[in-house]
Amino acid sequence: MARTIQHIIQKKHQGERVVALTASDYLLAGVLDQAGVDIILVGDSLGMVTLGYATTLPVTMDDMVHHAKAVCRGVKQALVVVDLPFLSYQSSLEQSILSAGRILKETGAQAVKVEGGQPFMVEAIERLVQIGIPVMGHVGLTPQSVHQVGGFRRQGTTPETEEIILAQALALERAGIFALVLEHIPSSLAAQLTKSLAIPTIGIGAGTSCDGQILVTADLLGLSEWHPPFVKPYANLRSLILDTVQAFAADVRSY
Ligand code: KIV
């Protein structure tokens, strides 16, 4: 049965974990879907792993729409969530509605994800939810703020920043998000957030107490040249592909 945001929320109440991974193309999205992944995120991390940028900042709405369309063509069951990229939602309420609406209208995805829990974001999310656009939140390390926070660093490591993240998460829940990504925060804080919220928390580098886990699929598969310290690759596809291509090249050169 195709997943809905209600299925994802129910999982928390039934004590079942949510499995989420990223995709940016048709082929891989189809494999993840066949494997039974609950949520496929077209993350703006595609800017780094698919497009070769150093950060997610250069990613555009056109990039996200292009990749999300390909992913949606490959998915039959999973809930597809698409990141709104940097500066596609922060400048006004109208901009956030038009960007989120474009994702749903043009790609076939069921929800969007936005970073941050500042009051203006909470207001924008409240409006998106009111007009029928499901929103996933994202707090802790928010990569679109990489330069503000001085790198891809763990967040919520002091009592003051813990309090800020906790307050943001509660405000986002009140605004109507259906799930919340917790990125690169201490596991004790993630456990506290998971207990305090009725919606599922989806962790990445946030310990094992979250209601679900998400990884960038290229990191999971060992394809990336670099991956964050909290990632445990489950395969080494980079070396498998290297060996395969070199074997093919050796054959061709011997003909
Ligand atoms: O862009 C992305 O892939 C993400 C995940 C790391 C949660 O936001």
Side-chain angles (χ1 to χ4, degrees):
M1 198 205 315
R3 306 290 197 287
T4 62
I5 63 165
Q6 287 74 18
H7 289 128
I8 303 299
I9 296 168
Q10 253 169 35
K11 278 183 171 280
K12 175 159 186 154
H13 302 296
Q14 292 166 347
E16 287 172 31
R17 300 286 165 136
V18 178
V19 179
L21 283 170
T22 65
S24 60
D25 67 78
Y26 165 81
L27 193 65
L28 191 58
V31 177
L32 302 184
D33 194 46
Q34 194 183 339
V37 166
D38 299 304
I39 296 176
I40 296 181
L41 172 71
V42 185
D44 61 354
S45 59
L46 69 79
M48 299 166 83
V49 296
T50 308
L51 301 177
Y53 298 129
T55 70
T56 60
L57 301 186
V59 176
T60 65
M61 275 297 291
D62 286 347
D63 291 331
M64 295 310 293
V65 168
H66 177 72
H67 288 280
K69 280 178 163 174
V71 166
C72 287
R73 284 193 285 268
V75 173
K76 295 189 181 76
Q77 304 295 333
L79 185 84
V80 179
V81 180
V82 180
D83 264 341
L84 292 188
F86 182 58
L87 283 198
S88 71
Y89 57 99
Q90 294 96 334
S91 70
S92 70
L93 196 54
E94 185 186 5
Q95 191 202 30
S96 65
I97 294 169
L98 293 177
S99 296
R102 181 176 172 204
I103 294 291
L104 263 60
K105 278 172 89 80
E106 294 184 25
T107 70
Q110 292 97 339
V112 297
K113 177 165 80 59
V114 292
E115 294 185 5
Q118 309 86 333
F120 77 93
M121 283 308 308
V122 172
E123 190 193 347
I125 289 167
E126 211 161 37
R127 182 66 78 87
L128 294 179
V129 172
Q130 277 167 8
I131 62 176
I133 300 176
V135 181
M136 178 183 257
H138 183 157
V139 295
L141 173 61
T142 48
Q144 291 176 17
S145 311
V146 59
H147 299 311
Q148 180 69 29
V149 299
F152 296 104
R153 298 163 180 280
R154 201 148 77 118
Q155 301 296 306
T157 53
T158 63
E160 296 74 31
T161 52
E162 251 188 37
E163 274 309 309
I164 292 172
I165 292 173
L166 201 51
Q168 288 184 343
L170 292 169
L172 289 169
E173 178 173 56
R174 279 194 300 275
I177 58 169
F178 71 92
L180 180 62
V181 169
L182 304 178
E183 180 163 354
H184 212 4
I185 59 171
S187 51
S188 53
L189 175 58
Q192 193 185 349
L193 285 161
T194 301
K195 265 204 193 124
S196 310
L197 298 173
I199 51 158
T201 58
I202 316 284
I204 172 165
T208 54
S209 305
C210 298
D211 299 304
Q213 296 289 330
I214 185 163
L215 280 180
V216 173
T217 301
D219 295 341
L220 171 81
L221 299 178
L223 258 179
S224 315
E225 275 178 298
W226 173 90
H227 60 73
F230 52 78
V231 171
K232 171 179 131 196
Y234 280 66
N236 191 344
L237 284 202
R238 195 176 179 88
S239 77
L240 182 66
I241 292 172
L242 261 175
D243 291 348
T244 306
V245 172
Q246 281 167 351
F248 171 67
D251 274 357
V252 170
R253 288 177 186 131
S254 71
Y255 293 156

